[in-house]
Each structure stands twice: as structure tokens, then as C-alpha cells.
Amino acid sequence: MAEPVSIAVTGAAGQIGYALLFRIASGAMLGPDQPVELKLLEIPPAMDALQGVVMELDDCAFPLLVNAVATDQPEVAFEGVDLAMLVGSMPRGPGMERNDLLEANGKIFTVQGKALNDHASRQVKTLVVGNPANTNCLIAQNNAPDLDPNNFTAMTKLDHNRATAQLALKVACAVDDIQGLSIWGNHSSTMFPDLLNASVSGTPAMQAVDQAWYENEFIPAIQQRGAAIIAARGLSSAASAANAAVEHMREWVTGTSSVTSMGIYSSGAYGISEGLIFSYPVTTKDGAHTIVEGLTIDDFAHAKIKATEQELMDERDAVAHLL
Amino acid sequence: MAEPVSIAVTGAAGQIGYALLFRIASGAMLGPDQPVELKLLEIPPAMDALQGVVMELDDCAFPLLVNAVATDQPEVAFEGVDLAMLVGSMPRGPGMERNDLLEANGKIFTVQGKALNDHASRQVKTLVVGNPANTNCLIAQNNAPDLDPNNFTAMTKLDHNRATAQLALKVACAVDDIQGLSIWGNHSSTMFPDLLNASVSGTPAMQAVDQAWYENEFIPAIQQRGAAIIAARGLSSAASAANAAVEHMREWVTGTSSVTSMGIYSSGAYGISEGLIFSYPVTTKDGAHTIVEGLTIDDFAHAKIKATEQELMDERDAVAHLL
């Protein structure tokens, strides 16, 4: 049997963590022949609940799960890990000021970035799920100067999947018929879901829908989907976020033939400010992600991409003291 | 692509349902080449939450999920279904009398049994997860006289997995090294986890542990595991129960080479009262379950099996008016 892959998950006793761990341990992320070790991080008040989650993992008798460690120490959770899934964060709550939000997350992600820098595998692949995901990832990456910035990513796969599903619903096709769709920018209400480079069964997607629907219905629906889920469930997206995290990591590790979306370190491609964590259309192979080149960016798309870039630059300015 | 398998899940917006649906839709239950249709049943007050769950299923863009229907009508949920996973039930709450519990569940499972009888596929495979699972299954089966009683089962796979994991922990082996272990009787604190017929890497399990540990630590730990999870998490088992349900159905549909545990309709094997829904050691092949024959039942095991049988007979007497 293969050597186990060591995987850290933070916020492991939270709703997304709970939806995520059992899928990882069952083999859904890395396949049915890949043993895994889970290193689960929580804050001290959640350690009892986390112990209960570990008991439930035991109760599944997963053949692939060789070990599950529960800890409130980042340096323990990240020791030697191959994959780090940073799910826990302080989301914006009612009445919370922007500075409170940034300070709370700054504390979490500076500490975790340093712990990754000092303790993780030198090839650790890091995915930030906890919001604000792009800027949390930026903070972690900047606090891990010894690691390759290309190994820090933020999740826009949930937005990617939402956009795919809504387009499939609109044009009454199977999700697999859609290719080339992607998400640009920030995982926030400024994200730009790009149908201009998408196809449906080989035909350009924009031939199947009209511009007014795209601009006035589709884009706002994707941007506001998280709020719509909360309104219906009374809880934020958990299982769908966990599913996207599984797919993000699976595609990153095992490769994919079709275009997906990842928030990655910008080296300036498509004119984006260098060093931002920016979602691009990417493909993956042999554990590396590559930006899709030569895409059509019309004036409409350019304005949308610049707007989400500006938001990320503003966020970066606000956390400059943590970088 | 294969024809979709139509799967009803009741209690679909509850904790177990939420942990279950995404695993089914991702292919974890029936494999990566089998499309599925989900027919999700909830009670009217939970329909908004269920709509949110369906939105999250959409947001996963699962290629295998061809449709997800949300309804509060059993006859809609069960129309033509191939598999029925009855997760929703009224568990015993604080201060709830036995008769209240039986009446509440009697109402649910008589209605659902009749709806399965009148609307489901003639080969529908039914799994009852909602507690008290064996007697809820008994009620449903008795209200579906046109269906094969062998197609009604209650879940003891969670107990089976818990016992496997705890034995593996005790003897420091991999879970796959354990064979022949099983659960007899009721999914309740009287269940009998059988190590007498189990082996560890080919050696009898009882050579690796002593009788005092087996009787005084192992059996009570498995019988009381659900309460231990609640004490740690503050919530009852959900993801581990969902995982067991996935495995129960997968093994039933696709077959397994090793012994597992299922609550099935008793035709009198091992002297158990005919017609009870009783957990036995079984193997599965071609969509059918077969009780393992010729097992060693010593005096200790016989007494334990008779005690759990007696509990199920008492439960049957209490719901006799519903059968």
C-alpha cells in the first residue's frame, strides 16, 4: 500500500470540517488506494466537539484512515503535512467592523502561515477555504517565505460549480457538457464568472444565452448564491463547500483535463497586480496549476476583472502590516 | 451511461440526511458510473431547509445526479424508487414515554410502509436508519404486504463498524485484518457484538483478547457508543451513521466478500422468532443477503442473543395494533 498522505484540516469541528473529513477519510479526495493521516486543528473551546468527531471517524472503520490527530496547536497540526486545508476562520458577523474582521483573521493566518513555514512539508499544498479566503491566503503566504507561493491557493471551486450548475439549468444540458467556464478574482460578491470563454457541447456558451440574462441574472445570482443558501437553510453552505474543497485538492493533486478555477498567487498574468491571490482559469497536471492562456477578455470582462482586482488590492492595503 | 437508480431518502434535511445525500450524489454509494435520482422527503416544517439542501446539491454540479426532488408527500417520494433509505423518525426525547415514542413512529412507518407498498419498485430495497430502527422497519414491512419481506432491512452497520474499530484499536491491527465479526439482534443497548466467530489476520479474535475485557469493556462500549458520541459532540452521530448507511446499501447492491451485519426479516434462522427484524451476520451477492450458517454460539452468546430477541419481541407486542 502507498505511504499515507498527511493532511491538516483547520476548523475541523465546524460545519464545513464535519462535512469534509468523512469524505477525505473515505477516499473521495485522493482515491481508493491512497491511505491518509488527518491532523485536525481547532480552537481550545471546540476540542471536546473535535474529540467527538474523531470518535465518529473511528466509528467508520475507514480502511484508508491510518491515524487522526486532534490538537489546538498549529505546529502540531502542520508537522510534516503534505496538504493543508485551512477551513477555520472568523467570518464577518452581524455588526462586525471591517477592521475587527481583518484583525481576527490576521491573527489566525499569520500564525498558521508561520507554522506552515516552519513545520510543513516543503511541498505542502495549501488551500484556504475560510473567508475572506483570498486575503486570508495572502496573509498565510506572506508569513511563509520559505515555501513556494504557488503552493498557496484560495477556493473558488464552489463558485465555479455554482456557475456550472446554473448554466446547465438555464440551457438544459448536463454539467459535463460545459467546458471552459471559470471564476476570476475574489471569492466575494465582486467575483467574475466568465461565460465568454465557456462552451456548451462545443458551442460557445454565449450563443445559448443572451447578454442581458448573463449580466443581470446569472452574474448576480452566482455572486449572491451564498446569501441565498443562508436564507433557505438558515445556515451557510457547508456540504457544498466541503465538496468543492475535495474537488479542488483532488484536481490539484491528481490533475484534470478541463479548465477549473483556483485562487492562486498572481505573477502578473492578464495584467493582475503581482502577489495578489487571484482566481484564474487554470488546468492542473503533476501537482502544478497552469493559467489558461490566450483567453478572450472583452471590455465588459475587463471591467469586471479590474473591479475584483481593485477589491483585492484594497484588502491587501488593509492588511499590509501583516504581510 | 447506465439508467439512473432512483433513491428515496426520508428525513433528508436532518443531520444524518445532510451527511448522507452528498455522499450518494458524489457516487460513493453506487460507484462512479451509476447516475442517481434523489427523492427527498421531509415534514412540512422542514421543507424550507430541504430546499436549501437541494440548492447545495445543485451547487456541487455532481455529474451523476440527474435530478433531486423535494417533497412532503410519501407517495411522491417513493414513486418508482429502487432504494428507500428511511432516515427520519421520532427518536426518544427527554421525558418521552415509551408509548408516545411508539405512537409517533407507528404513524410515520405505517404511512411509509403503505406508500412503499403502493408506489415503489416491486424490488425496492429498504433500509431503516431512524430509531428504533428494527421495530420501525417491522412496522413498515408489515404495512407493505405486496413486497418481499427480505427487501426490508434495519441498520446495524454502524454498530458493526464501531465494533470493528474498537477491536482493531485493542489488538493494534488494521480494520481490514478483522473478519467474521458481526452484530446480532436489536440496534439498541441489548445488541450482541460477536467476537466469538471473528478473526484477526486469520487467528481467532478471542485468542487476542480475554473474556473479561470482551464482556465487561468491549460489549458495553459498543452498546453505549451512541451515548458517548452525544456526550462528546453534544449532538448524536450523524456522519458516521450516514457512512454506515452508504456502506449498507453499497454492500447490499454490489455485494461483499466478507461478513457484514444487517437487521433482516427473520425466517427462524438460529432459533429466532419468525418475522422479527433481527440483525444477523450476513454476506451479500447479486442484490440478496444470506445469513452465515454454522456459526459457533456458546452459552454466553446464546444468552445474549436471547436477551436481544426478547427485547424485540416485547417491542413487537407493543406495536401489535400497527402490524
Side-chain angles (χ1 to χ4, degrees):
Chain A
M1 203 178 242
E3 282 295 301
V5 170
S6 183
I7 305 165
V9 178
T10 74
Q15 295 292 312
I16 297 174
Y18 190 67
L20 177 61
L21 299 178
F22 297 81
R23 294 200 62 198
I24 297 173
S26 70
M29 190 164 84
L30 299 179
D33 300 316
Q34 179 57 61
V36 295
E37 173 186 44
L38 291 173
K39 304 183 102 167
L40 308 177
L41 183 68
E42 262 297 353
I43 53 177
M47 288 305 291
D48 279 352
L50 182 56
Q51 203 52 55
V53 174
V54 171
M55 291 169 71
E56 281 206 78
L57 285 166
D58 286 343
D59 287 356
C60 293
F62 286 122
L64 293 174
L65 180 61
V66 296
N67 195 24
V69 174
T71 179
D72 57 8
Q73 304 295 315
E75 61 273 22
V76 173
F78 295 146
E79 179 62 39
V81 294
D82 305 297
L83 306 179
M85 304 177 77
L86 309 187
V87 176
S89 72
M90 181 71 75
R92 188 191 290 256
M96 199 172 185
E97 296 294 328
R98 181 188 175 89
N99 281 346
D100 300 336
L101 180 73
L102 291 169
E103 190 173 337
N105 280 295
K107 196 167 173 182
I108 295 170
F109 288 89
T110 51
V111 167
Q112 294 187 0
K114 289 185 174 115
L116 285 164
N117 191 67
D118 295 344
H119 297 280
S121 158
R122 297 302 82 187
Q123 289 77 43
V124 62
K125 290 178 163 61
T126 299
L127 166 63
V128 177
V129 175
N131 286 321
N134 297 54
T135 294
N136 287 342
C137 184
L138 181 80
I139 296 168
Q141 183 268 315
N142 275 273
N143 282 276
D146 300 338
L147 299 174
D148 182 347
N150 289 313
N151 278 342
F152 284 81
T153 64
M155 189 167 90
T156 52
K157 183 71 179 179
L158 177 55
D159 311 301
H160 181 101
N161 285 343
R162 287 166 168 170
T164 301
Q166 292 304 312
L167 177 60
L169 193 66
K170 175 71 174 174
V171 305
C173 72
V175 292
D176 279 348
D177 294 337
I178 296 170
Q179 299 288 326
L181 178 152
S182 67
I183 305 294
W184 295 80
N186 199 4
H187 173 64
S188 77
S189 61
T190 68
M191 79 180 79
F192 173 53
D194 180 358
L195 297 189
L196 303 170
N197 294 288
S199 64
V200 178
S201 302
T203 301
M206 291 306 295
Q207 292 185 13
V209 301
D210 63 52
Q211 186 77 17
W213 175 82
Y214 177 43
E215 292 185 24
N216 303 327
E217 296 187 44
F218 179 79
I219 292 177
I222 304 307
Q223 290 173 334
Q224 304 298 333
R225 183 70 172 180
I229 298 290
I230 292 173
R233 287 189 70 219
L235 294 166
S236 59
S237 302
S240 55
N243 179 67
V246 164
E247 293 185 354
H248 178 113
M249 279 304 201
R250 181 171 59 209
E251 291 181 333
W252 194 359
V253 171
T254 67
T256 178
S257 53
S258 58
V259 175
T260 188
S261 303
M262 286 185 176
I264 60 172
Y265 180 88
S266 167
S267 55
Y270 289 98
I272 301 303
S273 175
E274 194 175 335
L276 289 181
I277 301 294
F278 194 88
S279 182
Y280 283 101
V282 302
T283 55
T284 61
K285 189 178 176 189
D286 299 334
H289 47 73
T290 305
I291 295 172
V292 180
E293 294 185 354
L295 296 174
T296 300
I297 311 288
D298 67 10
D299 289 348
F300 172 75
H302 184 75
K304 292 286 184 191
I305 290 170
K306 283 294 162 191
T308 193
E309 180 195 24
Q310 186 61 52
E311 184 183 51
L312 283 170
M313 291 194 290
D314 292 346
E315 291 186 16
R316 179 169 61 185
D317 289 347
V319 300
H321 59 295
L322 303 174
L323 305 182
Chain B
M1 203 179 241
E3 282 296 301
V5 170
S6 183
I7 306 166
V9 178
T10 74
Q15 295 293 312
I16 297 175
Y18 190 67
L20 177 61
L21 300 178
F22 297 81
R23 294 201 61 198
I24 296 173
S26 70
M29 190 164 84
L30 299 179
D33 301 316
Q34 179 57 61
V36 295
E37 174 187 44
L38 290 173
K39 303 183 102 167
L40 309 177
L41 183 68
E42 260 298 352
I43 53 178
M47 288 305 291
D48 279 352
L50 181 57
Q51 203 51 56
V53 174
V54 171
M55 290 168 71
E56 281 206 78
L57 284 166
D58 286 342
D59 286 356
C60 294
F62 287 122
L64 294 174
L65 181 61
V66 296
N67 194 25
V69 175
T71 179
D72 59 7
Q73 304 295 315
E75 61 274 20
V76 174
F78 295 146
E79 179 62 38
V81 295
D82 304 298
L83 306 179
M85 304 177 76
L86 309 187
V87 175
S89 72
M90 180 71 74
R92 190 192 289 255
M96 199 171 185
E97 296 293 328
R98 181 189 176 89
N99 281 346
D100 300 338
L101 179 73
L102 291 169
E103 190 173 337
N105 280 295
K107 196 167 173 181
I108 296 170
F109 288 89
T110 50
V111 168
Q112 294 187 0
K114 288 183 177 122
L116 284 165
N117 191 67
D118 295 344
H119 298 280
S121 158
R122 298 301 83 190
Q123 289 76 43
V124 62
K125 290 178 164 59
T126 299
L127 166 64
V128 178
V129 175
N131 287 319
N134 296 54
T135 295
N136 287 342
C137 185
L138 180 81
I139 295 168
Q141 183 268 314
N142 274 272
N143 282 276
D146 301 337
L147 299 175
D148 182 347
N150 290 311
N151 278 342
F152 284 82
T153 64
M155 189 168 90
T156 52
K157 183 72 179 178
L158 178 55
D159 312 301
H160 181 101
N161 285 343
R162 288 167 167 169
T164 301
Q166 291 304 312
L167 178 60
L169 194 65
K170 175 70 175 176
V171 304
C173 72
V175 292
D176 279 346
D177 295 338
I178 295 170
Q179 299 288 326
L181 179 152
S182 68
I183 305 293
W184 296 79
N186 199 4
H187 174 63
S188 76
S189 61
T190 67
M191 79 179 80
F192 173 53
D194 181 359
L195 297 189
L196 304 170
N197 294 288
S199 65
V200 178
S201 302
T203 302
M206 291 306 294
Q207 292 184 12
V209 300
D210 62 52
Q211 186 75 18
W213 175 82
Y214 178 42
E215 292 185 24
N216 303 327
E217 295 187 44
F218 179 78
I219 292 177
I222 303 308
Q223 291 172 335
Q224 304 298 332
R225 183 70 171 179
I229 298 289
I230 292 173
R233 288 189 70 219
L235 294 166
S236 59
S237 302
S240 56
N243 179 69
V246 164
E247 294 186 352
H248 178 113
M249 279 305 200
R250 181 171 60 209
E251 292 182 333
W252 192 0
V253 171
T254 67
T256 178
S257 53
S258 57
V259 175
T260 189
S261 303
M262 285 185 177
I264 60 172
Y265 181 87
S266 167
S267 54
Y270 289 98
I272 300 303
S273 175
E274 194 174 335
L276 289 181
I277 301 293
F278 194 88
S279 182
Y280 283 102
V282 302
T283 56
T284 60
K285 189 180 176 187
D286 298 334
H289 47 73
T290 305
I291 295 171
V292 181
E293 294 184 353
L295 296 174
T296 300
I297 311 290
D298 67 9
D299 289 348
F300 173 75
H302 183 74
K304 291 287 185 191
I305 289 170
K306 282 294 161 191
T308 193
E309 180 195 24
Q310 186 61 52
E311 184 182 53
L312 282 170
M313 290 194 291
D314 291 346
E315 290 186 17
R316 179 169 59 185
D317 288 347
V319 300
H321 60 295
L322 303 174
L323 305 182

